[in-house]
Amino acid sequence: ISCTGITDITPIDIDFARKYETEEGGRGYVIKLLAVAKRRGNAVELRVNPALIRKDHQLGSVSNEVNAIYIEPELAGPQILGGRGAGRNATTSAVISDIIKIARNIRRGVTDELPSLNEKIEVIDPDKVQTKGYIRTSLKHIPGSGAEALRILGEHGLNVVDSVQRRRFGEIVNGKIYIPDIITVEAIEKKFITSALKELTKSKRTHGPTLFLPFEE
């Protein structure tokens, strides 16, 4: 299962998410770490990653020690289950629950088996999943840097929706000014995004690693 953590998330990303689409009347986005399972025909898409989700989505208000599970059944419609998943009291509750379950199994002389994924279910290659999102890269503040970034994305098949430079997050490195650029792209297979990120990172017109964050609708 493809797993990505929150290590590379910065205040730039949080600020962008909060403001995105607000000029068009939207409420903005938040960044959440999600474990996602989606059925795609006879196969299943499985991944763990931070993603942009609309602030008014049911998962958008989940914060602090609260965990939530959002389910979209075929007939019943969207449902959400939530509760405290961390902290002293929540952990104590989980431990007590496990002890009681083990004691009951011993009393009954049975052993629980952990559920496993049906071997007949195909897990989709994450590189082949179509994903839309945004790319954050720090561009050297000289003529042509933006054009170079767009050229790289275009050569890898990425279609740009918009591009926003965040001047207030700019930084000076070795006497050169670098300004973060947030480039939103349409859905495309993840493998093309990965190859574009590698080339952007190697470019002499960028500084530091590039980041991709998907939108989760």
Side-chain angles (χ1 to χ4, degrees):
I1 299 175
S2 174
C3 296
T4 305
I6 61 173
T7 304
D8 295 327
I9 303 298
T10 70
I12 303 172
D13 308 305
I14 296 171
D15 183 75
F16 171 84
R18 181 171 57 87
K19 297 176 179 177
Y20 189 62
E21 290 186 347
T22 54
E23 291 183 358
E24 289 78 29
R27 293 190 58 193
Y29 285 71
V30 290
I31 299 173
K32 298 295 180 183
L33 182 62
L34 304 177
V36 178
K38 292 184 179 181
R39 181 176 290 279
R40 306 286 192 185
N42 294 324
V44 65
E45 173 190 346
L46 300 174
R47 56 185 164 84
V48 177
N49 58 265
L52 289 128
I53 190 166
R54 293 182 186 277
K55 191 179 292 185
D56 55 4
H57 188 279
Q58 289 172 289
L59 290 175
S61 60
V62 177
S63 60
N64 300 321
E65 72 274 26
V66 176
N67 292 340
I69 301 174
Y70 177 79
I71 310 168
E72 290 188 352
E74 187 174 1
L75 299 178
Q79 300 179 29
I80 188 167
L81 307 173
R84 297 181 185 273
R88 181 176 61 185
N89 292 337
T91 304
T92 300
S93 174
V95 172
I96 292 174
S97 176
D98 288 344
I99 292 172
I100 292 174
K101 183 177 181 180
I102 293 169
R104 285 175 174 169
N105 285 348
I106 293 173
R107 185 177 179 182
R108 296 170 181 170
V110 299
T111 302
D112 281 347
E113 292 185 3
L114 292 175
S116 59
L117 197 63
N118 189 321
E119 294 179 359
K120 296 180 181 179
I121 296 179
E122 175 190 356
V123 178
I124 299 173
D125 183 345
D127 283 340
K128 296 181 179 179
V129 174
Q130 293 239 346
T131 307
K132 72 174 183 177
Y134 86 72
I135 294 168
R136 169 173 50 80
T137 184
S138 287
L139 297 179
K140 185 183 290 187
H141 191 50
I142 58 175
S145 293
E148 174 68 5
L150 295 178
R151 179 193 65 79
I152 291 172
L153 298 181
E155 288 184 351
H156 289 272
L158 279 67
N159 195 22
V160 173
V161 177
D162 55 36
S163 174
V164 180
Q165 288 197 337
R166 310 310 305 273
R167 293 183 63 88
R168 75 185 185 91
F169 291 104
E171 56 181 339
I172 299 176
V173 181
N174 297 325
K176 303 293 184 181
I177 300 175
Y178 289 87
I179 299 176
D181 192 13
I182 308 295
I183 305 171
T184 309
V185 296
E186 291 184 347
I188 190 173
E189 288 186 10
K190 186 69 179 295
K191 61 183 179 182
F192 297 113
I193 296 172
T194 301
S195 61
L197 293 185
K198 288 181 180 179
E199 189 171 344
L200 273 174
T201 302
K202 293 179 181 178
S203 173
K204 294 181 179 180
R205 292 177 177 267
T206 66
H207 170 69
T210 54
L211 171 74
F212 175 77
L213 274 180
F215 286 98
E216 193 65 46
E217 300 298 340

